[in-house]
């Protein structure tokens, strides 16, 4: 007996994720472990996520770094999927609280303390969280609170008026404010999410206007060269005024965002018997549009193989954020360079592949053939301390890789990614996504169209400020024409 005790202790400390890929209970348990890890990284007593409240810790350089606000919205979306797929509702209370806490005075995910640094993509990550809540039948807020569908419509309406035809023949700029770095950048994540939200709203509401605006964004991506029409690689962005795609780096969430949007468009135009068709288009089965989006969905899916599934590197079908992770080509000799945002990107590719799997039966085998090997590899990467189940960033190395690599802050991205990957393996058993006919969430097509407290943040007048961000005078132009000068910033 006495000899056995240390041995048992040792065994109980070896807490690696023991994933049996063919056993649903084992997959669910692995996802639950990751959901709990994510919760551990969420500050106690502060059930919402924004700078200063979620995981802000001193970095090794002595500066305070933390998670950006958008990643809170991303985490809420991840937990909504977790609930939807596993039916474990233990995080719902904090998710609902966070989603409602951040709506801002105009119920459009432009809370005043975020608007100065607001990127369209930041707002959109909260938008897709509430859109998922509507589609997945997540419990509705009390009637005196803003409702999921209306919130998503507000985000769409706020963004669609920022469509900028001054340069590049259209497109959304990354940043909302001209004083911010990135205002002169039109990027795939902002435009991809506008496309995706439009496509999902079309699918959910049956309103053709959303589909038309979504298609406009999707086409623009191709015209400008952000989506390569040969191989469907999705590049990061282009600067105004020349609109040349200078940054050809590929991030998995860019491609995944377009993929899920294409899947929603396919479903919108197809007569899906599980989801009663809402529109004449769908009822009749709009064959050319359906064929088009089926093609595009497959094209985008094939496009992610080379950059994100290591087709050329001898380790096929294991997801890798190739823009910043270590590479099997040099036996992982170069350390990863992924920043705090990029560590979470595989979460969204996993999520968006799951969404596509639900709506597009023709993708199912293809998607699972990539997610299953990724999950087997990821489980082996979750053996770090503390707890013996801390996950690394790389899923390819067959072991914990030491993430977050000496930087004090970290972990949310790594664990969100692994959680979304594990739970998506069970997507085949999930309930069909709802539409306005089958769902309960209340909408408001006019949400987010008023001038509101902080205005619609539309920019007016010619662009004069370049990438000079953070320096100089921060000029805030709201729709009502108020110019606010921030006194604390001075010329360098
Ligand atoms: C930001 O605003 C929210 C309310 O929308 C508030 O709860 C939160 O404390 C604010 N955060 C900071 C860092 O000021
Ligand atoms: C369809 O969406 C557009 C754009 O948001 C909106 O103006 C219109 O009122 C909507 N139509 C219906 C019937 O809801
Ligand atoms: C698209 O991909 C093809 C094939 O790799 C390449 O030749 C072409 O230069 C790419 N186009 C753009 C605009 O990057
Ligand atoms: C879909 O792709 C096939 C094969 O490349 C092509 O023949 C067909 O014209 C495409 N359909 C549409 C509607 O784009």
């Amino acid at each position: 007996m006495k000899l056995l005790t240390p041995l048992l202790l040792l065994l109980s400390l070896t807490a690696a994720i023991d994933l049996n890929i063919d056993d649903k209970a084992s997959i669910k348990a692995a996802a639950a472990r990751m959901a709990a890890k994510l919760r551990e990284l969420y500050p106690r007593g502060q059930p919402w996520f924004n700078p200063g409240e979620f995981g802000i810790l001193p970095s090794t350089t002595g500066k305070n770094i933390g998670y950006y606000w958008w990643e809170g919205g991303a985490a809420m979306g991840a937990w909504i999927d977790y609930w939807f797929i596993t039916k474990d509702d233990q995080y719902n209370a904090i998710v609902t609280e966070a989603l409602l806490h951040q709506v801002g005075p105009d119920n459009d995910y432009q809370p005043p303390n975020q608007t100065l640094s607001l990127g369209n993509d930041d707002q959109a990550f909260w938008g897709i969280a509430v859109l998922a809540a509507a589609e997945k039948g997540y419990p509705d807020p009390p009637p005196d609170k803003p409702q999921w569908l209306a919130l998503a419509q507000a985000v769409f309406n706020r963004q669609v008026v920022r469509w900028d035809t001054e340069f590049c023949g259209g497109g959304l700029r990354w940043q909302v404010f001209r004083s911010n770095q990135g205002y002169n950048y039109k990027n795939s994540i902002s435009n991809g999410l506008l496309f995706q939200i439009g496509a999902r709203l079309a699918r959910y509401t049956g309103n053709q206007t959303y589909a038309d605006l979504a298609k406009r964004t999707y086409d623009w991506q191709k015209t400008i060269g952000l989506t390569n029409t040969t191989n469907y690689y999705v590049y990061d962005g282009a600067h105004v005024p020349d609109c040349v795609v200078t940054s050809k780096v590929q991030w998995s969430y860019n491609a995944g965002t377009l993929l899920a949007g294409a899947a929603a468009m396919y479903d919108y135009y197809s007569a899906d018997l599980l989801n009663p068709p809402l529109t004449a288009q769908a009822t009749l089965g709009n064959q050319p549009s359906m064929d088009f989006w089926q093609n595009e969905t497959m094209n985008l899916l094939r496009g992610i193989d080379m950059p994100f599934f290591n087709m050329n590197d001898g380790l096929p079908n294991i997801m890798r954020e190739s823009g910043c992770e270590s590479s099997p080509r040099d036996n992982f000799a170069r350390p990863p360079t992924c920043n705090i945002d990029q560590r979470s990107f595989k979460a969204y590719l996993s999520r968006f592949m799951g969404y596509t799997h639900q709506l597009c039966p023709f993708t199912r085998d293809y998607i699972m053939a990539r997610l299953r090997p990724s999950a087997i590899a990821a489980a082996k990467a979750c053996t770090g301390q503390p707890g013996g189940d801390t996950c690394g960033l790389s899923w390819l190395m067959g072991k914990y890789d030491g993430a977050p690599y000496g930087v004090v802050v970290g972990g949310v991205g790594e664990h969100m990614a692994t959680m979304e990957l594990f739970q998506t393996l069970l997507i085949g058993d999930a309930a069909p996504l709802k539409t306005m006919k089958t769902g309960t969430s209340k909408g408001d097509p006019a949400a987010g169209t008023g001038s509101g407290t902080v205005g619609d943040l539309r920019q007016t007048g010619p662009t004069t400020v370049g990438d000079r961000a953070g320096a100089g005078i921060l000029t805030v132009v709201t729709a009502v024409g108020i110019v606010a000068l921030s006194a604390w910033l001075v010329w360098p």
Side-chain angles (χ1 to χ4, degrees):
M1 275 303 274
K2 270 194 175 141
L3 275 176
L4 266 176
T5 313
L7 186 67
L8 284 173
L9 250 175
L10 203 67
L11 280 175
S12 66
L13 282 174
T14 322
I17 304 283
D18 187 16
L19 178 70
N20 178 350
I21 197 79
D22 295 312
D23 175 15
K24 287 176 182 176
S26 166
I27 295 169
K28 192 173 162 180
R33 286 273 284 283
M34 291 302 110
K37 290 293 258 192
L38 197 61
R39 183 67 185 91
E40 275 171 29
L41 292 159
Y42 206 60
R44 310 229 173 252
Q46 298 278 19
W48 50 81
F49 179 134
N50 59 44
E53 286 165 351
F54 190 145
I56 194 160
L57 290 165
S59 76
T60 45
T61 60
K63 281 188 182 166
N64 277 340
I65 57 164
Y67 298 96
Y68 289 104
W69 177 69
W70 76 271
E71 201 165 339
M76 298 313 135
W79 266 326
I80 287 174
D81 277 6
Y82 172 74
W83 159 82
F84 176 61
I85 294 168
T86 67
K87 305 197 169 63
D88 175 359
D89 64 3
Q90 66 173 300
Y91 306 107
N92 286 17
I94 58 168
V95 169
T96 299
E97 185 175 359
L99 289 174
L100 294 177
H101 189 86
Q102 296 295 340
V103 296
D106 302 325
N107 298 333
D108 56 3
Y109 289 110
Q110 294 182 164
N113 59 13
Q114 298 296 338
T115 46
L116 279 187
S117 61
L118 191 74
N120 284 304
D121 51 345
D122 303 327
Q123 184 184 25
F125 262 96
W126 289 91
I128 60 170
V130 285
L131 196 39
E135 292 168 335
K136 291 171 183 178
Y138 182 82
D140 289 321
D144 61 328
K145 299 282 184 194
Q147 303 297 308
W148 307 136
L149 176 59
L151 284 164
Q153 287 169 313
V155 170
F156 181 83
N157 288 337
R158 284 287 184 227
Q159 297 204 349
V160 85
V161 296
R162 296 180 193 139
W163 186 259
D164 169 68
T165 50
E166 190 182 358
F167 298 109
C168 321
L172 270 192
R173 292 164 182 268
W174 176 24
Q175 293 294 310
V176 175
F177 286 103
R178 65 180 57 235
S179 49
N180 283 345
Q181 182 160 29
Y183 181 67
N184 65 357
Y185 194 52
K186 294 194 174 180
N187 60 353
S188 287
I189 193 61
S190 300
N191 286 283
L193 285 169
L194 178 66
F195 161 63
Q196 188 191 110
I197 293 174
R200 289 167 70 171
L201 284 175
R203 186 201 153 273
Y204 190 91
T205 65
N207 183 336
Q208 181 66 29
T209 308
Y210 295 126
D212 293 342
L213 291 168
K215 176 79 164 40
R216 176 180 73 171
T217 312
Y218 188 82
D219 291 346
W220 177 84
Q221 278 272 133
K222 286 179 165 180
T223 310
I224 206 73
L226 281 174
T227 306
N228 186 320
T229 50
T230 306
N231 48 26
Y232 283 77
Y233 288 3
V234 181
Y235 307 124
D236 194 61
H239 284 91
V240 305
D242 60 347
C243 309
V244 175
V245 180
T246 40
S247 179
K248 288 206 171 173
V249 62
Q250 292 184 63
W251 300 111
S252 65
Y253 77 155
N254 285 332
T257 299
L258 294 181
L259 173 69
M265 291 297 272
Y266 168 78
D267 192 58
Y268 174 64
Y269 285 112
S270 68
D272 180 341
L273 295 179
L274 286 176
N275 283 310
L278 284 162
T279 60
Q281 293 89 336
T283 312
L284 298 172
N286 188 332
Q287 202 66 38
S289 295
M290 206 175 120
D291 290 349
F292 173 81
W293 289 108
Q294 175 161 358
N295 279 2
E296 292 303 276
T297 303
M298 271 324 290
N299 288 337
L300 287 160
L301 211 40
R302 288 192 196 99
I304 64 178
D305 256 357
M306 288 295 179
F308 308 117
F309 287 92
N310 309 290
M311 280 317 191
N312 284 340
D313 292 328
L315 286 167
N317 292 352
I318 299 175
M319 201 188 292
R320 170 173 163 259
E321 195 63 53
S322 57
C324 62
E325 276 186 26
S326 302
S327 168
R329 282 199 184 171
D330 58 5
N331 203 20
F332 308 103
R334 278 174 300 119
T337 57
C338 304
N339 67 23
I340 204 139
D341 292 345
Q342 292 155 2
R343 291 177 203 186
S344 70
F345 287 176
K346 287 181 294 190
Y348 323 123
L349 181 55
S350 302
R351 181 195 303 184
F352 295 145
M353 288 173 83
Y355 189 84
T356 304
H357 183 285
Q358 270 211 286
L359 295 181
C360 301
F362 56 89
T363 64
R364 286 178 186 162
D365 293 344
Y366 193 97
I367 285 172
M368 282 303 158
R370 281 147 189 79
L371 295 185
R372 285 166 58 95
S374 297
I376 293 169
K380 292 180 187 151
C382 296
T383 57
Q385 294 303 329
D389 60 356
T390 293
C391 297
L393 173 68
S394 169
W395 294 342
L396 286 146
M397 290 170 70
K399 59 175 189 193
Y400 174 62
D401 67 359
Y405 311 102
V407 184
V408 180
V409 64
V412 168
E414 289 86 340
H415 292 92
M416 199 186 346
T418 315
M419 172 178 132
E420 294 237 36
L421 173 67
F422 288 157
Q423 68 202 20
T424 301
L425 297 176
L426 301 173
I427 196 74
D429 293 340
L433 295 176
K434 295 185 186 306
T435 66
M436 211 126 93
K437 275 199 177 158
T438 53
T440 58
S441 188
K442 291 209 168 37
D444 174 8
T449 57
S451 58
T453 311
V454 286
D456 66 6
L457 305 180
R458 231 181 313 189
Q459 297 300 308
T460 51
T463 308
T464 50
V465 180
D467 251 340
R468 215 145 27 105
I473 298 169
L474 196 64
T475 310
V476 180
V477 185
T478 71
V480 286
I482 297 165
V483 177
L485 298 180
S486 58
W488 65 92
L489 286 176
V490 291
W491 291 100

